């Protein structure tokens, strides 16, 4: 049984966390990537070339949204289109050297800030926090609601 007080605390703290992360990343302090660009560059850089439909499915977004986001990345030179060998009408997106560099700079800035915020946490606490965040995000993915 879920404790209602804990549930209300989680709900509020998630809203506060989202607001603070949005504010911090919008400041440009960590680089010039927005949240969607960061996630897309992470996905493409870590797992290789991918099509827009696959990205839309993975992030539970409509294709037009992902198309706009990837078009912006392409315009900045962060990704490039490569032909889909299985379908000449389709294409995959792959990360460029510039995109990989921008991603790395942005990620390092975020990691530095998180490292600062967690500097007085015990190693076990950070491991538990990481595992619980991952578990929560996975639950969001599989619920699709």
């Amino acid at each position: 049984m879920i404790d209602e007080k804990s549930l209300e605390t989680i709900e509020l703290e998630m809203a506060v966390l989202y607001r603070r992360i949005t504010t911090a990343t919008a400041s440009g302090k960590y680089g010039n990537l927005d949240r969607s660009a960061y996630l897309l560059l992470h996905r493409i850089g870590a797992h290789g070339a991918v099509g827009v439909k696959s990205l839309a499915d993975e992030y539970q977004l409509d294709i037009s949204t992902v198309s706009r986001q990837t078009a912006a990345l392409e315009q900045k030179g962060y990704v490039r289109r490569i032909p889909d060998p299985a379908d000449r009408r389709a294409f995959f997106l792959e990360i460029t050297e510039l995109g990989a560099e921008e991603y790395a700079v942005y990620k390092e800035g975020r990691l530095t800030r998180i490292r600062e915020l967690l500097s007085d946490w015990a190693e076990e606490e950070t491991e538990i926090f990481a595992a619980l965040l991952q578990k929560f995000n996975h639950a969001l993915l599989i619920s699709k609601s």
Side-chain angles (χ1 to χ4, degrees):
M1 181 104 182
I2 297 175
D3 173 63
E4 284 300 311
K5 186 173 182 343
S6 295
L7 188 61
E8 288 179 15
T9 299
I10 291 167
E11 182 275 329
L12 176 61
E13 292 301 325
M14 293 293 291
V16 171
L17 175 65
Y18 180 77
R19 170 56 53 211
R20 289 180 179 159
I21 288 173
T22 302
T23 301
T25 56
S27 72
K29 183 177 181 178
Y30 305 115
N32 296 319
L33 298 180
D34 61 25
R35 179 179 36 91
S36 65
Y38 177 76
L39 291 172
L40 291 170
L41 290 176
H42 166 77
R43 165 57 182 83
I44 297 166
H47 302 288
V50 66
V52 172
K53 182 176 180 340
S54 293
L55 289 170
D57 290 346
E58 187 170 334
Y59 290 110
Q60 300 175 352
L61 297 169
D62 59 84
I63 291 174
S64 64
T65 298
V66 175
S67 291
R68 278 192 309 278
Q69 293 170 347
T70 57
L73 293 177
E74 188 177 16
Q75 186 176 27
K76 291 178 181 178
Y78 296 164
V79 298
R80 69 177 150 257
R81 294 178 188 210
I82 58 171
D84 177 348
D87 181 355
R88 301 192 118 183
R89 297 168 295 165
F91 62 90
F92 288 138
L93 295 160
E94 71 177 2
I95 195 166
T96 63
E97 188 175 321
L98 177 61
E101 289 170 6
E102 282 292 317
Y103 172 78
V105 167
Y106 190 79
K107 180 179 179 178
E108 188 52 42
R110 290 168 55 109
L111 288 172
T112 297
R113 182 63 179 135
I114 293 168
R115 199 175 290 112
E116 290 168 359
L117 293 169
L118 302 178
S119 66
D120 62 343
W121 288 34
E123 186 175 343
E124 182 182 12
E125 289 176 315
T126 59
E127 290 170 359
I128 291 168
F129 185 55
L132 291 174
L133 273 175
Q134 191 173 42
K135 182 178 181 178
F136 186 79
N137 275 326
H138 183 72
L140 284 171
L141 177 65
I142 60 175
S143 73
K144 295 186 181 187
S145 54

